[in-house]
Amino acid sequence: MSRIVRTAADILYPAILIFGLYIVAHGHLTPGGGFQGGAVIATAGALVIVAFSYKEVTGWLTKNVLMGQEVIGLVGFIGVALLALAFGQVFFFNYLAGSGSLFGMPVPYGINAGELNTAGVLPLMNFAVGIEVWGGLTIVILYMLSGLEKEGC
């Protein structure tokens, strides 16, 4: 692609990453969450793949790194759910809700803008799902575009 497209991609890439992380972080307060935020972040990868050549991008984004990202997300999600068993609760119990610790503040009563430090384990699970979807969808995009590489595009 042209220098203009590459420069625009360089400028938009961090903005898309930040927006995706915003959607992941506020998933328990607004529409969105880990899957939607991870999909937005994966589109940043698609933008880079379109702006640069497939060979350049596969030099930066290796399949093993993205698969590792998927594994970290999945293990994080199951790990947060399993930690409930350590607290003597059932699997997937929201042990942080109302605890006063990280993400454990009680939800203010009445109309409010929404407190980020609420919802217990839900934000942690949103982050885990976001990391997993980011890696998984980027791998799918890389596989789809690998066909173009074989055709010489």
Side-chain angles (χ1 to χ4, degrees), residues 35-57:
F35 187 88
Q36 292 83 356
V40 167
I41 295 171
T43 61
L47 174 70
V48 170
I49 292 168
V50 169
F52 296 88
S53 70
Y54 179 80
K55 285 184 180 177
E56 284 181 86
V57 173

Side-chain angles (χ1 to χ4, degrees), residues 62-85:
T62 63
K63 185 178 96 178
N64 290 337
V65 169
L66 295 170
M67 286 177 62
Q69 196 173 331
E70 273 193 283
V71 169
I72 289 170
L74 289 171
V75 169
F77 187 82
I78 297 297
V80 168
L82 281 173
L83 272 176
L85 298 175

